[in-house]
Amino acid sequence: ICTVAEPYIKEGAAYSGNANYMIAVRYNEASEDQKKSAHFTWGDTGRYSHLLILEDYAYPAATTAPAKFALPVEDPEKTKDYLEWTLPGAPEAFLRKEALAVGDKIVYGKHVPVEVQEQIKEYLARQNFTCFISLVIPGQGHGRPIGILNIETNHNKILHASEETQNELGKMLH
């Protein structure tokens, strides 16, 4: 996927990027280890519908991400204004069922605590990418995606990719 994404991202300089995929696991079916690997959680965790569990990287040696890493997904049936509680990136893309690009100017929902926003900022500062796009891995029949593919890069061209380009990348997952 990194090779296929390169023409959409490259800006004349050498391409540096990576990709990972996260599998959606229903929160109430997640193991204790999976729940313990969840980052950026707060408050009543009973409001989560899923965990997005990091499964693998295209180039594992090139990442600084923890070996065990998961992100919580809000449950739209339990939280009325769930998008205001949703973490940016993979969790938001999962709930919206559409690609989402994230760069240095992250927009948070009004209910994401400042402490969590700071944790995310610190986490991203330690990574070897500056922006990423989260693409939905569609599911069959049940309406929810089965996971997310994240493409990471230091080239901000991905942030300005047209919806058409994002959809082209997303079609590779169908």
Side-chain angles (χ1 to χ4, degrees):
I1 195 76
C2 291
T3 303
V4 173
E6 181 177 353
Y8 297 99
I9 299 168
K10 196 172 180 179
E11 292 185 311
Y15 169 70
S16 67
N18 206 344
N20 70 61
Y21 71 96
M22 305 178 92
I23 297 298
V25 174
R26 290 191 183 281
Y27 191 82
N28 61 355
E29 296 172 6
S31 70
E32 284 307 310
D33 278 349
Q34 289 171 325
K35 289 177 182 177
K36 286 178 186 172
S37 73
H39 286 65
F40 318 124
T41 61
W42 74 94
D44 177 13
T45 57
R47 72 178 195 279
Y48 299 135
S49 66
H50 291 80
L51 284 177
L52 294 172
I53 310 290
L54 178 62
E55 288 291 320
D56 204 1
Y57 265 90
Y59 306 114
T63 184
T64 56
K68 293 184 176 187
F69 186 86
L71 294 172
V73 177
E74 297 295 327
D75 188 337
E77 294 178 15
K78 293 180 181 175
T79 308
K80 187 172 98 174
D81 54 348
Y82 64 93
L83 286 176
E84 294 296 339
W85 296 79
T86 299
L87 296 174
E92 186 175 352
F94 181 85
L95 286 171
R96 290 184 183 273
K97 300 178 194 169
E98 63 185 27
L100 185 72
V102 176
D104 59 350
K105 293 183 179 159
I106 300 174
V107 178
Y108 294 95
K110 66 182 178 185
H111 296 300
V112 177
V114 172
E115 300 82 29
V116 172
Q117 294 177 33
E118 288 300 319
Q119 291 171 9
I120 293 169
K121 188 177 188 179
E122 290 169 13
Y123 171 80
L124 291 173
R126 294 189 305 269
Q127 303 310 305
N128 52 10
F129 59 88
T130 56
C131 50
F132 63 94
I133 187 168
S134 296
L135 301 167
V136 173
I137 303 172
Q140 295 179 347
H142 55 75
R144 283 270 175 242
I146 61 169
I148 296 290
L149 173 72
N150 296 296
I151 301 172
E152 306 166 347
T153 183
N154 285 328
H155 299 289
N156 69 0
K157 183 177 178 185
I158 197 169
L159 301 176
H160 309 291
S162 68
E163 188 173 324
E164 180 181 329
T165 298
Q166 291 178 14
N167 288 336
E168 266 184 66
L169 287 168
K171 283 179 188 174
M172 290 179 244
L173 304 176
H174 290 269

PDB file of all heavy atoms in Angstrom, residues 134-147:
ATOM      1  N   SER A 134      -6.382   8.247   7.449  1.00  0.00           N
ATOM      2  CA  SER A 134      -7.031   7.021   7.913  1.00  0.00           C
ATOM      3  C   SER A 134      -8.089   6.634   6.895  1.00  0.00           C
ATOM      4  O   SER A 134      -9.005   7.412   6.621  1.00  0.00           O
ATOM      5  CB  SER A 134      -7.678   7.244   9.286  1.00  0.00           C
ATOM      6  OG  SER A 134      -6.706   7.529  10.257  1.00  0.00           O
ATOM      7  N   LEU A 135      -7.939   5.441   6.342  1.00  0.00           N
ATOM      8  CA  LEU A 135      -8.869   4.927   5.335  1.00  0.00           C
ATOM      9  C   LEU A 135      -9.674   3.775   5.927  1.00  0.00           C
ATOM     10  O   LEU A 135      -9.127   2.918   6.623  1.00  0.00           O
ATOM     11  CB  LEU A 135      -8.107   4.431   4.111  1.00  0.00           C
ATOM     12  CG  LEU A 135      -7.241   5.460   3.391  1.00  0.00           C
ATOM     13  CD1 LEU A 135      -6.308   4.779   2.415  1.00  0.00           C
ATOM     14  CD2 LEU A 135      -8.114   6.469   2.680  1.00  0.00           C
ATOM     15  N   VAL A 136     -10.943   3.758   5.635  1.00  0.00           N
ATOM     16  CA  VAL A 136     -11.841   2.738   6.165  1.00  0.00           C
ATOM     17  C   VAL A 136     -11.651   1.418   5.424  1.00  0.00           C
ATOM     18  O   VAL A 136     -11.587   1.387   4.198  1.00  0.00           O
ATOM     19  CB  VAL A 136     -13.298   3.223   6.028  1.00  0.00           C
ATOM     20  CG1 VAL A 136     -14.286   2.144   6.408  1.00  0.00           C
ATOM     21  CG2 VAL A 136     -13.510   4.471   6.864  1.00  0.00           C
ATOM     22  N   ILE A 137     -11.553   0.330   6.183  1.00  0.00           N
ATOM     23  CA  ILE A 137     -11.587  -1.012   5.608  1.00  0.00           C
ATOM     24  C   ILE A 137     -13.036  -1.460   5.760  1.00  0.00           C
ATOM     25  O   ILE A 137     -13.492  -1.724   6.872  1.00  0.00           O
ATOM     26  CB  ILE A 137     -10.638  -1.981   6.343  1.00  0.00           C
ATOM     27  CG1 ILE A 137      -9.201  -1.451   6.321  1.00  0.00           C
ATOM     28  CG2 ILE A 137     -10.718  -3.375   5.711  1.00  0.00           C
ATOM     29  CD1 ILE A 137      -8.231  -2.236   7.192  1.00  0.00           C
ATOM     30  N   PRO A 138     -13.777  -1.484   4.662  1.00  0.00           N
ATOM     31  CA  PRO A 138     -15.221  -1.734   4.767  1.00  0.00           C
ATOM     32  C   PRO A 138     -15.547  -3.141   5.245  1.00  0.00           C
ATOM     33  O   PRO A 138     -14.808  -4.082   4.995  1.00  0.00           O
ATOM     34  CB  PRO A 138     -15.726  -1.507   3.345  1.00  0.00           C
ATOM     35  CG  PRO A 138     -14.540  -1.625   2.470  1.00  0.00           C
ATOM     36  CD  PRO A 138     -13.325  -1.324   3.296  1.00  0.00           C
ATOM     37  N   GLY A 139     -16.658  -3.238   5.954  1.00  0.00           N
ATOM     38  CA  GLY A 139     -17.163  -4.537   6.403  1.00  0.00           C
ATOM     39  C   GLY A 139     -18.237  -5.020   5.457  1.00  0.00           C
ATOM     40  O   GLY A 139     -18.580  -4.338   4.484  1.00  0.00           O
ATOM     41  N   GLN A 140     -18.766  -6.168   5.738  1.00  0.00           N
ATOM     42  CA  GLN A 140     -19.821  -6.720   4.900  1.00  0.00           C
ATOM     43  C   GLN A 140     -21.051  -7.012   5.742  1.00  0.00           C
ATOM     44  O   GLN A 140     -20.958  -7.718   6.741  1.00  0.00           O
ATOM     45  CB  GLN A 140     -19.353  -7.998   4.209  1.00  0.00           C
ATOM     46  CG  GLN A 140     -18.222  -7.736   3.242  1.00  0.00           C
ATOM     47  CD  GLN A 140     -17.762  -9.015   2.576  1.00  0.00           C
ATOM     48  OE1 GLN A 140     -18.095 -10.102   2.988  1.00  0.00           O
ATOM     49  NE2 GLN A 140     -16.978  -8.869   1.523  1.00  0.00           N
ATOM     50  N   GLY A 141     -22.162  -6.418   5.368  1.00  0.00           N
ATOM     51  CA  GLY A 141     -23.434  -6.776   5.961  1.00  0.00           C
ATOM     52  C   GLY A 141     -23.821  -6.060   7.235  1.00  0.00           C
ATOM     53  O   GLY A 141     -24.954  -5.686   7.395  1.00  0.00           O
ATOM     54  N   HIS A 142     -22.887  -5.818   8.162  1.00  0.00           N
ATOM     55  CA  HIS A 142     -23.275  -5.257   9.450  1.00  0.00           C
ATOM     56  C   HIS A 142     -23.179  -3.739   9.505  1.00  0.00           C
ATOM     57  O   HIS A 142     -23.479  -3.142  10.527  1.00  0.00           O
ATOM     58  CB  HIS A 142     -22.482  -5.891  10.593  1.00  0.00           C
ATOM     59  CG  HIS A 142     -20.996  -5.802  10.403  1.00  0.00           C
ATOM     60  ND1 HIS A 142     -20.299  -4.658  10.587  1.00  0.00           N
ATOM     61  CD2 HIS A 142     -20.103  -6.738  10.027  1.00  0.00           C
ATOM     62  CE1 HIS A 142     -19.017  -4.873  10.337  1.00  0.00           C
ATOM     63  NE2 HIS A 142     -18.882  -6.138   9.997  1.00  0.00           N
ATOM     64  N   GLY A 143     -22.746  -3.113   8.432  1.00  0.00           N
ATOM     65  CA  GLY A 143     -22.745  -1.659   8.356  1.00  0.00           C
ATOM     66  C   GLY A 143     -21.531  -0.959   8.928  1.00  0.00           C
ATOM     67  O   GLY A 143     -21.298   0.197   8.632  1.00  0.00           O
ATOM     68  N   ARG A 144     -20.761  -1.600   9.757  1.00  0.00           N
ATOM     69  CA  ARG A 144     -19.576  -0.985  10.338  1.00  0.00           C
ATOM     70  C   ARG A 144     -18.335  -1.482   9.606  1.00  0.00           C
ATOM     71  O   ARG A 144     -18.286  -2.624   9.161  1.00  0.00           O
ATOM     72  CB  ARG A 144     -19.431  -1.349  11.816  1.00  0.00           C
ATOM     73  CG  ARG A 144     -20.350  -0.600  12.720  1.00  0.00           C
ATOM     74  CD  ARG A 144     -19.675   0.686  13.193  1.00  0.00           C
ATOM     75  NE  ARG A 144     -20.610   1.468  13.976  1.00  0.00           N
ATOM     76  CZ  ARG A 144     -21.011   2.675  13.629  1.00  0.00           C
ATOM     77  NH1 ARG A 144     -20.568   3.245  12.541  1.00  0.00           N
ATOM     78  NH2 ARG A 144     -21.847   3.332  14.383  1.00  0.00           N
ATOM     79  N   PRO A 145     -17.306  -0.621   9.519  1.00  0.00           N
ATOM     80  CA  PRO A 145     -16.038  -1.079   8.943  1.00  0.00           C
ATOM     81  C   PRO A 145     -15.436  -2.193   9.802  1.00  0.00           C
ATOM     82  O   PRO A 145     -15.757  -2.316  10.982  1.00  0.00           O
ATOM     83  CB  PRO A 145     -15.155   0.171   9.014  1.00  0.00           C
ATOM     84  CG  PRO A 145     -16.089   1.321   9.210  1.00  0.00           C
ATOM     85  CD  PRO A 145     -17.286   0.777   9.927  1.00  0.00           C
ATOM     86  N   ILE A 146     -14.553  -2.984   9.202  1.00  0.00           N
ATOM     87  CA  ILE A 146     -13.864  -4.017   9.987  1.00  0.00           C
ATOM     88  C   ILE A 146     -12.544  -3.491  10.537  1.00  0.00           C
ATOM     89  O   ILE A 146     -11.927  -4.122  11.379  1.00  0.00           O
ATOM     90  CB  ILE A 146     -13.635  -5.319   9.178  1.00  0.00           C
ATOM     91  CG1 ILE A 146     -12.766  -5.056   7.943  1.00  0.00           C
ATOM     92  CG2 ILE A 146     -14.951  -5.970   8.830  1.00  0.00           C
ATOM     93  CD1 ILE A 146     -12.291  -6.316   7.256  1.00  0.00           C
ATOM     94  N   GLY A 147     -12.133  -2.323  10.052  1.00  0.00           N
ATOM     95  CA  GLY A 147     -10.892  -1.742  10.544  1.00  0.00           C
ATOM     96  C   GLY A 147     -10.525  -0.477   9.802  1.00  0.00           C
ATOM     97  O   GLY A 147     -11.328   0.082   9.047  1.00  0.00           O
TER      98      GLY A 147
END
